[in-house]
Amino acid sequence: MSESQAPQLTYWHVYTGPDGLSHQRRVTLDSFEQQSMGRGAARQWNLHIGDAKTHVMFAELPADWVGEWHENPEPQWIIPLSGGWWVETQDGQRVEMRSGEVSFGQDQDTKADARGNKGHRSGSLDGEACKMMIVQVLGEVAT
């Protein structure tokens, strides 16, 4: 493997800000290292994030599904596998994500805004179902 520049991966981080409301920001992961997965496999770029227990789920949001205001039940990585989905946070920002994009939902313990909403809204895009992989992080989380 040639020694090339380490890759970067960006994702949307949904979080509870100092104001107690949910927000979204782009975050870049850039600490990849070349490693073998073992047993003679060629080296590849890997980035390990913590060693917390996780719970892996696969989900499908039906076509035209809308999840009204709610918080993520646990900090969780959400990766659409097919279709797309959107997330709207209390600050009014709406982000649309398609297959292969990544989001980290960490908006636990938000406070109600002036309309009584907590957390975020989300839904499927384009009148189509969205299949996704969700990896819930059970324990301390560093982002």
Side-chain angles (χ1 to χ4, degrees):
M1 173 181 230
S2 66
E3 294 292 324
S4 59
Q5 184 173 344
Q8 294 183 337
L9 177 94
T10 57
Y11 66 92
W12 284 101
H13 183 200
V14 176
Y15 65 98
T16 303
D19 59 0
L21 302 178
S22 63
H23 303 273
Q24 297 183 69
R25 66 178 170 214
R26 292 290 278 171
V27 176
T28 300
L29 299 173
D30 59 5
S31 299
F32 287 80
E33 297 178 4
Q34 288 188 335
Q35 302 169 335
S36 171
M37 293 297 285
R39 299 210 163 137
R43 291 186 311 152
Q44 62 191 38
W45 290 106
N46 293 333
L47 173 63
H48 298 273
I49 301 176
D51 59 0
K53 284 186 160 186
T54 59
H55 178 80
V56 178
M57 300 170 41
F58 291 90
E60 182 172 321
L61 308 180
D64 302 315
W65 178 87
V66 175
E68 288 301 339
W69 293 99
H70 64 285
E71 297 175 337
N72 285 282
E74 301 285 345
Q76 56 190 14
W77 293 98
I78 305 164
I79 306 102
L81 303 172
S82 66
W85 74 307
W86 57 267
V87 177
E88 178 185 341
T89 45
Q90 289 172 283
D91 61 4
Q93 184 172 14
R94 179 182 157 128
V95 173
E96 295 185 355
M97 289 166 270
R98 308 256 180 222
S99 299
E101 294 186 83
V102 179
S103 176
F104 186 68
Q106 191 180 23
D107 63 350
Q108 295 77 33
D109 303 318
T110 56
K111 70 177 185 181
D113 63 17
R115 294 169 302 236
N117 301 325
K118 290 182 70 168
H120 65 278
R121 299 175 65 228
S122 55
S124 55
L125 287 171
D126 305 324
E128 297 179 11
C130 177
K131 293 182 181 177
M132 52 180 48
M133 179 178 187
I134 302 168
V135 180
Q136 293 182 328
V137 180
L138 311 174
E140 290 292 317
V141 177
T143 55

mmCIF file of all heavy atoms in Angstrom, residues 7 13-14 20-22 24-25 32 35 37 39 44 54 60 73 85-86 93 97 108 113 115 122 126 131 133 140:
data_model
loop_
_atom_site.group_PDB
_atom_site.id
_atom_site.type_symbol
_atom_site.label_atom_id
_atom_site.label_comp_id
_atom_site.label_asym_id
_atom_site.label_seq_id
_atom_site.Cartn_x
_atom_site.Cartn_y
_atom_site.Cartn_z
ATOM 1 N N PRO A 7 -7.314 9.717 4.944
ATOM 2 C CA PRO A 7 -8.624 10.234 4.543
ATOM 3 C C PRO A 7 -9.278 11.041 5.667
ATOM 4 O O PRO A 7 -8.815 11.028 6.810
ATOM 5 C CB PRO A 7 -9.424 8.967 4.260
ATOM 6 C CG PRO A 7 -8.807 7.932 5.131
ATOM 7 C CD PRO A 7 -7.348 8.281 5.195
ATOM 8 N N HIS A 13 -23.325 16.371 13.415
ATOM 9 C CA HIS A 13 -23.449 16.115 14.852
ATOM 10 C C HIS A 13 -24.661 16.885 15.361
ATOM 11 O O HIS A 13 -24.694 18.110 15.311
ATOM 12 C CB HIS A 13 -22.185 16.575 15.570
ATOM 13 C CG HIS A 13 -22.193 16.290 17.039
ATOM 14 N ND1 HIS A 13 -21.383 16.960 17.920
ATOM 15 C CD2 HIS A 13 -22.883 15.396 17.788
ATOM 16 C CE1 HIS A 13 -21.587 16.501 19.146
ATOM 17 N NE2 HIS A 13 -22.498 15.554 19.086
ATOM 18 N N VAL A 14 -25.682 16.152 15.813
ATOM 19 C CA VAL A 14 -26.860 16.735 16.446
ATOM 20 C C VAL A 14 -26.587 16.718 17.941
ATOM 21 O O VAL A 14 -26.359 15.650 18.509
ATOM 22 C CB VAL A 14 -28.133 15.931 16.108
ATOM 23 C CG1 VAL A 14 -29.340 16.481 16.851
ATOM 24 C CG2 VAL A 14 -28.375 15.925 14.599
ATOM 25 N N GLY A 20 -29.230 24.761 25.928
ATOM 26 C CA GLY A 20 -30.207 23.711 26.218
ATOM 27 C C GLY A 20 -31.016 23.267 25.016
ATOM 28 O O GLY A 20 -31.840 22.373 25.120
ATOM 29 N N LEU A 21 -30.778 23.870 23.852
ATOM 30 C CA LEU A 21 -31.511 23.538 22.637
ATOM 31 C C LEU A 21 -30.665 22.654 21.726
ATOM 32 O O LEU A 21 -29.444 22.622 21.835
ATOM 33 C CB LEU A 21 -31.916 24.820 21.900
ATOM 34 C CG LEU A 21 -32.760 25.808 22.692
ATOM 35 C CD1 LEU A 21 -33.048 27.056 21.849
ATOM 36 C CD2 LEU A 21 -34.052 25.176 23.188
ATOM 37 N N SER A 22 -31.326 21.977 20.800
ATOM 38 C CA SER A 22 -30.604 21.125 19.857
ATOM 39 C C SER A 22 -30.082 21.943 18.687
ATOM 40 O O SER A 22 -30.709 22.913 18.250
ATOM 41 C CB SER A 22 -31.504 19.994 19.354
ATOM 42 O OG SER A 22 -32.611 20.509 18.643
ATOM 43 N N GLN A 24 -27.081 21.522 15.042
ATOM 44 C CA GLN A 24 -26.324 20.609 14.179
ATOM 45 C C GLN A 24 -25.073 21.328 13.696
ATOM 46 O O GLN A 24 -25.113 22.521 13.413
ATOM 47 C CB GLN A 24 -27.146 20.186 12.960
ATOM 48 C CG GLN A 24 -28.382 19.413 13.314
ATOM 49 C CD GLN A 24 -29.127 18.945 12.085
ATOM 50 O OE1 GLN A 24 -28.648 18.081 11.371
ATOM 51 N NE2 GLN A 24 -30.290 19.516 11.832
ATOM 52 N N ARG A 25 -23.992 20.571 13.571
ATOM 53 C CA ARG A 25 -22.748 21.122 13.021
ATOM 54 C C ARG A 25 -22.025 20.001 12.285
ATOM 55 O O ARG A 25 -22.194 18.822 12.592
ATOM 56 C CB ARG A 25 -21.869 21.703 14.120
ATOM 57 C CG ARG A 25 -21.347 20.645 15.083
ATOM 58 C CD ARG A 25 -20.442 21.224 16.154
ATOM 59 N NE ARG A 25 -20.207 20.182 17.156
ATOM 60 C CZ ARG A 25 -20.052 20.404 18.435
ATOM 61 N NH1 ARG A 25 -20.091 21.627 18.916
ATOM 62 N NH2 ARG A 25 -19.841 19.414 19.269
ATOM 63 N N PHE A 32 -7.186 8.993 11.025
ATOM 64 C CA PHE A 32 -7.096 7.636 10.492
ATOM 65 C C PHE A 32 -5.649 7.148 10.525
ATOM 66 O O PHE A 32 -4.720 7.933 10.341
ATOM 67 C CB PHE A 32 -7.608 7.597 9.048
ATOM 68 C CG PHE A 32 -9.102 7.725 8.927
ATOM 69 C CD1 PHE A 32 -9.717 8.965 9.017
ATOM 70 C CD2 PHE A 32 -9.881 6.610 8.720
ATOM 71 C CE1 PHE A 32 -11.087 9.092 8.904
ATOM 72 C CE2 PHE A 32 -11.258 6.713 8.602
ATOM 73 C CZ PHE A 32 -11.865 7.959 8.694
ATOM 74 N N GLN A 35 -3.676 0.338 9.116
ATOM 75 C CA GLN A 35 -3.619 -0.875 9.927
ATOM 76 C C GLN A 35 -4.137 -2.048 9.113
ATOM 77 O O GLN A 35 -4.944 -1.863 8.203
ATOM 78 C CB GLN A 35 -4.503 -0.744 11.177
ATOM 79 C CG GLN A 35 -4.175 0.408 12.072
ATOM 80 C CD GLN A 35 -5.246 0.629 13.131
ATOM 81 O OE1 GLN A 35 -6.398 0.256 12.957
ATOM 82 N NE2 GLN A 35 -4.855 1.257 14.227
ATOM 83 N N MET A 37 -6.427 -5.464 9.209
ATOM 84 C CA MET A 37 -7.520 -6.041 9.980
ATOM 85 C C MET A 37 -7.128 -7.418 10.515
ATOM 86 O O MET A 37 -7.893 -8.059 11.201
ATOM 87 C CB MET A 37 -8.791 -6.135 9.134
ATOM 88 C CG MET A 37 -9.371 -4.780 8.775
ATOM 89 S SD MET A 37 -9.901 -3.798 10.186
ATOM 90 C CE MET A 37 -11.403 -4.629 10.639
ATOM 91 N N ARG A 39 -4.580 -11.288 10.121
ATOM 92 C CA ARG A 39 -4.452 -12.511 9.319
ATOM 93 C C ARG A 39 -3.986 -12.246 7.895
ATOM 94 O O ARG A 39 -4.518 -12.802 6.941
ATOM 95 C CB ARG A 39 -5.739 -13.296 9.331
ATOM 96 C CG ARG A 39 -6.127 -13.724 10.723
ATOM 97 C CD ARG A 39 -6.881 -15.004 10.689
ATOM 98 N NE ARG A 39 -6.872 -15.549 12.042
ATOM 99 C CZ ARG A 39 -7.880 -16.081 12.642
ATOM 100 N NH1 ARG A 39 -9.017 -16.201 12.001
ATOM 101 N NH2 ARG A 39 -7.779 -16.552 13.858
ATOM 102 N N GLN A 44 -5.178 -0.891 5.643
ATOM 103 C CA GLN A 44 -6.213 0.029 5.183
ATOM 104 C C GLN A 44 -6.281 1.172 6.183
ATOM 105 O O GLN A 44 -5.664 1.108 7.242
ATOM 106 C CB GLN A 44 -7.571 -0.680 5.107
ATOM 107 C CG GLN A 44 -8.030 -1.176 6.474
ATOM 108 C CD GLN A 44 -9.226 -2.108 6.395
ATOM 109 O OE1 GLN A 44 -9.322 -2.926 5.473
ATOM 110 N NE2 GLN A 44 -10.129 -1.993 7.352
ATOM 111 N N THR A 54 -21.949 -1.046 22.502
ATOM 112 C CA THR A 54 -22.854 -0.529 21.481
ATOM 113 C C THR A 54 -24.022 -1.491 21.278
ATOM 114 O O THR A 54 -23.960 -2.662 21.640
ATOM 115 C CB THR A 54 -22.132 -0.333 20.132
ATOM 116 O OG1 THR A 54 -21.602 -1.593 19.710
ATOM 117 C CG2 THR A 54 -21.030 0.700 20.233
ATOM 118 N N GLU A 60 -36.084 0.867 9.088
ATOM 119 C CA GLU A 60 -36.625 1.407 7.845
ATOM 120 C C GLU A 60 -37.683 2.438 8.192
ATOM 121 O O GLU A 60 -38.673 2.123 8.859
ATOM 122 C CB GLU A 60 -37.232 0.311 6.966
ATOM 123 C CG GLU A 60 -37.746 0.875 5.658
ATOM 124 C CD GLU A 60 -38.174 -0.178 4.669
ATOM 125 O OE1 GLU A 60 -37.502 -1.218 4.580
ATOM 126 O OE2 GLU A 60 -39.168 0.060 3.969
ATOM 127 N N PRO A 73 -32.724 8.477 21.740
ATOM 128 C CA PRO A 73 -32.835 7.716 22.988
ATOM 129 C C PRO A 73 -31.486 7.463 23.660
ATOM 130 O O PRO A 73 -31.400 7.365 24.878
ATOM 131 C CB PRO A 73 -33.491 6.406 22.560
ATOM 132 C CG PRO A 73 -33.186 6.294 21.105
ATOM 133 C CD PRO A 73 -33.114 7.695 20.576
ATOM 134 N N TRP A 85 -33.050 10.830 4.449
ATOM 135 C CA TRP A 85 -33.821 11.330 5.576
ATOM 136 C C TRP A 85 -33.384 12.739 5.899
ATOM 137 O O TRP A 85 -32.350 13.210 5.424
ATOM 138 C CB TRP A 85 -33.696 10.393 6.773
ATOM 139 C CG TRP A 85 -32.386 10.424 7.516
ATOM 140 C CD1 TRP A 85 -31.135 10.265 6.992
ATOM 141 C CD2 TRP A 85 -32.194 10.632 8.904
ATOM 142 N NE1 TRP A 85 -30.194 10.356 7.984
ATOM 143 C CE2 TRP A 85 -30.822 10.577 9.181
ATOM 144 C CE3 TRP A 85 -33.061 10.862 9.977
ATOM 145 C CZ2 TRP A 85 -30.292 10.755 10.446
ATOM 146 C CZ3 TRP A 85 -32.524 11.009 11.241
ATOM 147 C CH2 TRP A 85 -31.156 10.958 11.463
ATOM 148 N N TRP A 86 -34.178 13.430 6.683
ATOM 149 C CA TRP A 86 -33.873 14.790 7.096
ATOM 150 C C TRP A 86 -33.971 14.884 8.613
ATOM 151 O O TRP A 86 -34.667 14.098 9.246
ATOM 152 C CB TRP A 86 -34.790 15.797 6.423
ATOM 153 C CG TRP A 86 -36.268 15.553 6.649
ATOM 154 C CD1 TRP A 86 -37.095 14.843 5.832
ATOM 155 C CD2 TRP A 86 -37.071 16.007 7.742
ATOM 156 N NE1 TRP A 86 -38.368 14.816 6.357
ATOM 157 C CE2 TRP A 86 -38.379 15.526 7.532
ATOM 158 C CE3 TRP A 86 -36.822 16.761 8.881
ATOM 159 C CZ2 TRP A 86 -39.432 15.783 8.404
ATOM 160 C CZ3 TRP A 86 -37.869 17.010 9.764
ATOM 161 C CH2 TRP A 86 -39.154 16.525 9.520
ATOM 162 N N GLN A 93 -32.404 24.649 11.938
ATOM 163 C CA GLN A 93 -31.589 24.096 10.850
ATOM 164 C C GLN A 93 -32.152 22.742 10.434
ATOM 165 O O GLN A 93 -32.438 21.885 11.271
ATOM 166 C CB GLN A 93 -30.141 23.946 11.289
ATOM 167 C CG GLN A 93 -29.247 23.473 10.157
ATOM 168 C CD GLN A 93 -27.772 23.492 10.522
ATOM 169 O OE1 GLN A 93 -27.397 23.612 11.673
ATOM 170 N NE2 GLN A 93 -26.936 23.366 9.533
ATOM 171 N N MET A 97 -29.887 14.086 4.394
ATOM 172 C CA MET A 97 -28.790 13.129 4.227
ATOM 173 C C MET A 97 -29.254 11.978 3.344
ATOM 174 O O MET A 97 -30.398 11.538 3.455
ATOM 175 C CB MET A 97 -28.334 12.612 5.587
ATOM 176 C CG MET A 97 -27.594 13.667 6.396
ATOM 177 S SD MET A 97 -27.403 13.199 8.119
ATOM 178 C CE MET A 97 -28.901 13.903 8.799
ATOM 179 N N GLN A 108 -29.680 14.504 23.852
ATOM 180 C CA GLN A 108 -30.376 14.145 25.076
ATOM 181 C C GLN A 108 -30.449 15.361 26.007
ATOM 182 O O GLN A 108 -29.591 16.241 25.969
ATOM 183 C CB GLN A 108 -29.668 12.991 25.803
ATOM 184 C CG GLN A 108 -29.671 11.665 25.048
ATOM 185 C CD GLN A 108 -28.657 11.607 23.924
ATOM 186 O OE1 GLN A 108 -27.582 12.184 24.001
ATOM 187 N NE2 GLN A 108 -29.002 10.924 22.855
ATOM 188 N N ASP A 113 -38.313 24.505 23.805
ATOM 189 C CA ASP A 113 -38.190 25.853 23.256
ATOM 190 C C ASP A 113 -39.510 26.603 23.476
ATOM 191 O O ASP A 113 -40.418 26.093 24.146
ATOM 192 C CB ASP A 113 -37.770 25.806 21.778
ATOM 193 C CG ASP A 113 -38.784 25.121 20.877
ATOM 194 O OD1 ASP A 113 -39.956 24.951 21.287
ATOM 195 O OD2 ASP A 113 -38.414 24.768 19.742
ATOM 196 N N ARG A 115 -42.019 27.005 21.704
ATOM 197 C CA ARG A 115 -43.205 26.280 21.217
ATOM 198 C C ARG A 115 -43.432 24.975 21.966
ATOM 199 O O ARG A 115 -44.330 24.218 21.628
ATOM 200 C CB ARG A 115 -43.056 26.008 19.726
ATOM 201 C CG ARG A 115 -43.064 27.292 18.881
ATOM 202 C CD ARG A 115 -42.659 26.982 17.478
ATOM 203 N NE ARG A 115 -41.342 26.372 17.528
ATOM 204 C CZ ARG A 115 -40.269 26.791 16.891
ATOM 205 N NH1 ARG A 115 -40.349 27.799 16.083
ATOM 206 N NH2 ARG A 115 -39.107 26.193 17.020
ATOM 207 N N SER A 122 -37.530 14.480 12.490
ATOM 208 C CA SER A 122 -36.845 13.809 11.385
ATOM 209 C C SER A 122 -37.878 13.120 10.510
ATOM 210 O O SER A 122 -39.021 12.908 10.926
ATOM 211 C CB SER A 122 -35.813 12.801 11.910
ATOM 212 O OG SER A 122 -36.412 11.873 12.793
ATOM 213 N N ASP A 126 -38.290 12.288 -0.287
ATOM 214 C CA ASP A 126 -38.633 11.945 -1.671
ATOM 215 C C ASP A 126 -39.769 10.939 -1.809
ATOM 216 O O ASP A 126 -39.850 10.228 -2.820
ATOM 217 C CB ASP A 126 -37.392 11.422 -2.419
ATOM 218 C CG ASP A 126 -36.227 12.384 -2.357
ATOM 219 O OD1 ASP A 126 -36.467 13.612 -2.399
ATOM 220 O OD2 ASP A 126 -35.071 11.917 -2.255
ATOM 221 N N LYS A 131 -33.807 3.080 4.452
ATOM 222 C CA LYS A 131 -33.222 2.012 5.265
ATOM 223 C C LYS A 131 -31.947 2.548 5.890
ATOM 224 O O LYS A 131 -31.156 3.215 5.216
ATOM 225 C CB LYS A 131 -32.920 0.788 4.404
ATOM 226 C CG LYS A 131 -34.177 0.126 3.896
ATOM 227 C CD LYS A 131 -33.884 -1.103 3.076
ATOM 228 C CE LYS A 131 -35.202 -1.678 2.582
ATOM 229 N NZ LYS A 131 -35.013 -2.830 1.734
ATOM 230 N N MET A 133 -28.766 2.079 9.188
ATOM 231 C CA MET A 133 -28.074 1.352 10.247
ATOM 232 C C MET A 133 -27.881 2.338 11.386
ATOM 233 O O MET A 133 -27.454 3.482 11.162
ATOM 234 C CB MET A 133 -26.721 0.845 9.771
ATOM 235 C CG MET A 133 -25.946 0.105 10.812
ATOM 236 S SD MET A 133 -24.379 -0.497 10.096
ATOM 237 C CE MET A 133 -23.808 -1.484 11.451
ATOM 238 N N GLU A 140 -19.995 6.389 28.144
ATOM 239 C CA GLU A 140 -19.349 7.686 27.881
ATOM 240 C C GLU A 140 -19.085 7.880 26.403
ATOM 241 O O GLU A 140 -18.675 6.960 25.721
ATOM 242 C CB GLU A 140 -18.025 7.769 28.638
ATOM 243 C CG GLU A 140 -18.185 7.876 30.140
ATOM 244 C CD GLU A 140 -18.790 9.200 30.567
ATOM 245 O OE1 GLU A 140 -18.390 10.250 30.014
ATOM 246 O OE2 GLU A 140 -19.686 9.176 31.438
#
